[in-house]
Amino acid sequence: MKVIVNSLRLSLVFMVVCGLLYNLVVTGIAQALMPKQANGSLLYGDQNNVIGSELIGQSFPEPKFFQSRISSIDYNAAGSGSGNYAPSNPDMLARTQESVEAWKKDNPDVPVSELPVDLITNSGSGLDPHISPEAAKAQIPRISRLTGIPAEKLNELVADNTSGRELGFLGEPVVNVLKLNLALLEQMK
């Protein structure tokens, strides 16, 4: 009986320490040191309304905006993942062909041979908010035609919203599509 009582006490202590106190301390430290990141790196609009998170990709259905990578989970952040199909999978081939046909229709000024692969494939999580600078630049002719903004100005927007490699050598340069589209909206005003 003594062993059971001691086990229950120890379990209760660990539940309070690990389940409550640890979480409160970590949350408090995060809120004090980096509140923006702790709250989801949210981006706000003119009326102080949440537009999205700079960490989670989203769809931009209007062709006048820069398009994100394809998401096999419709950018639903409740769960991440992708089909993880092999390049030879018939479903993957069909979806890729559909994406290429849509590209040809929406971007007649840019040949398929110059289509960056990240615009027709999804990331492992299906939530990647970034595209390559090349993918952003490939969309400039369409966006310039639809918005009337000169291509030179759109190239500047892409350059201004390109993040370099982490620590100068990790990863590749990327463009956050939501931030880029917010800058584009500013130009359209």
Side-chain angles (χ1 to χ4, degrees):
M1 190 56 132
K2 186 177 179 181
V3 171
I4 292 175
V5 170
N6 285 338
S7 296
L8 289 174
R9 280 188 196 151
L10 188 59
S11 295
L12 185 60
V13 167
F14 277 118
M15 280 191 275
V16 169
V17 169
C18 297
L20 183 65
L21 293 177
Y22 173 78
N23 292 319
L24 288 173
V25 169
V26 169
T27 301
I29 290 171
Q31 288 293 334
L33 297 179
M34 47 189 172
K36 182 178 185 227
Q37 293 88 339
N39 291 320
S41 299
L42 300 176
L43 297 174
Y44 296 88
D46 293 338
Q47 283 85 35
N48 207 26
N49 55 325
V50 175
I51 294 174
S53 169
E54 62 186 79
L55 302 175
I56 298 175
Q58 60 187 41
S59 177
F60 299 95
E62 293 184 51
K64 67 180 179 181
F65 291 109
F66 288 92
Q67 303 300 305
S68 299
R69 294 185 75 165
I70 294 170
S71 175
S72 56
I73 58 169
D74 295 324
Y75 304 100
N76 182 353
S80 66
S82 68
N84 292 324
Y85 294 134
S88 61
N89 181 286
D91 292 337
M92 175 69 164
L93 291 171
R95 193 200 73 211
T96 303
Q97 188 58 41
E98 286 174 21
S99 298
V100 169
E101 292 305 319
W103 175 265
K104 286 185 205 177
K105 182 179 140 255
D106 295 338
N107 300 278
D109 303 324
V110 181
V112 173
S113 61
E114 295 176 22
L115 170 60
V117 73
D118 53 325
L119 289 177
I120 58 170
T121 59
N122 60 320
S123 65
S125 69
L127 299 172
D128 192 353
H130 301 104
I131 57 176
S132 66
E134 294 76 22
K137 290 176 185 173
Q139 298 180 62
I140 287 176
R142 179 191 76 241
I143 294 167
S144 180
R145 183 180 74 246
L146 294 174
T147 63
I149 298 172
E152 297 78 27
K153 185 61 184 171
L154 293 171
N155 273 308
E156 287 176 27
L157 289 178
V158 169
D160 292 345
N161 287 281
T162 299
S163 301
R165 299 170 187 262
E166 295 290 324
L167 303 175
F169 68 96
L170 296 174
E172 295 294 325
V174 293
V175 178
N176 185 295
V177 180
L178 177 56
K179 287 182 173 181
L180 179 57
N181 280 332
L182 289 174
L184 178 61
L185 274 174
E186 287 296 316
Q187 290 297 312
M188 293 182 346
K189 287 184 180 180

